[in-house]
Amino acid sequence: ANERKHQMLQKLGGQKVLTEATDRFYDRQINDKRLLKFFHGTDLAILKWHQFNLMSIAFTAVPENFDVRHLILKRHQKLFDEGLDETYFDVVM
């Protein structure tokens, strides 16, 4: 199964395409005035690195110890404290 996912990533264009997708995604986000408050004080290079790695995992193999709940609810609590909720979903997507 992992080999099939790796092959899928390669068919999509590999790491180059993931980098381009990450760049385009964040370019769109940081240029939306509704989302600016969530990026204040954020190192965009680090954020892009994390997003690239998350997408790499999604297209290859999710490690057994990957705790999505912890990643979203604990590590990103600051975003929820600043008002991030489901109303921003459509804005981001």
Side-chain angles (χ1 to χ4, degrees), residues 21-85:
T22 301
D23 288 341
R24 291 171 79 182
F25 175 79
Y26 280 106
D27 287 346
R28 212 172 55 240
Q29 306 314 309
I30 62 172
N31 288 302
D32 190 315
K33 292 177 184 175
R34 297 168 291 182
L35 300 173
L36 281 179
K37 67 180 180 178
F38 299 115
F39 293 98
H40 180 71
T42 301
D43 184 331
L44 199 54
I46 292 173
L47 193 57
K48 285 181 177 184
W49 179 81
H50 282 291
Q51 182 68 32
F52 174 86
N53 286 325
L54 182 63
M55 289 173 47
S56 294
I57 289 169
F59 284 108
T60 54
V62 178
E64 301 236 355
N65 64 347
F66 191 76
D67 186 349
V68 174
R69 186 181 234 339
H70 174 76
L71 176 69
I72 293 171
L73 297 178
K74 302 293 185 207
R75 304 266 326 252
H76 295 90
Q77 184 61 45
K78 175 185 157 214
L79 296 173
F80 297 112
D81 292 345
E82 292 176 1
L84 183 66
D85 61 24

Side-chain angles (χ1 to χ4, degrees), residues 1-10 18 53-63:
N2 288 342
E3 181 59 32
R4 282 195 316 265
K5 285 186 174 185
H6 180 73
Q7 289 173 357
M8 180 175 61
L9 175 60
Q10 294 310 311
L18 288 183
N53 286 325
L54 182 63
M55 289 173 47
S56 294
I57 289 169
F59 284 108
T60 54
V62 178

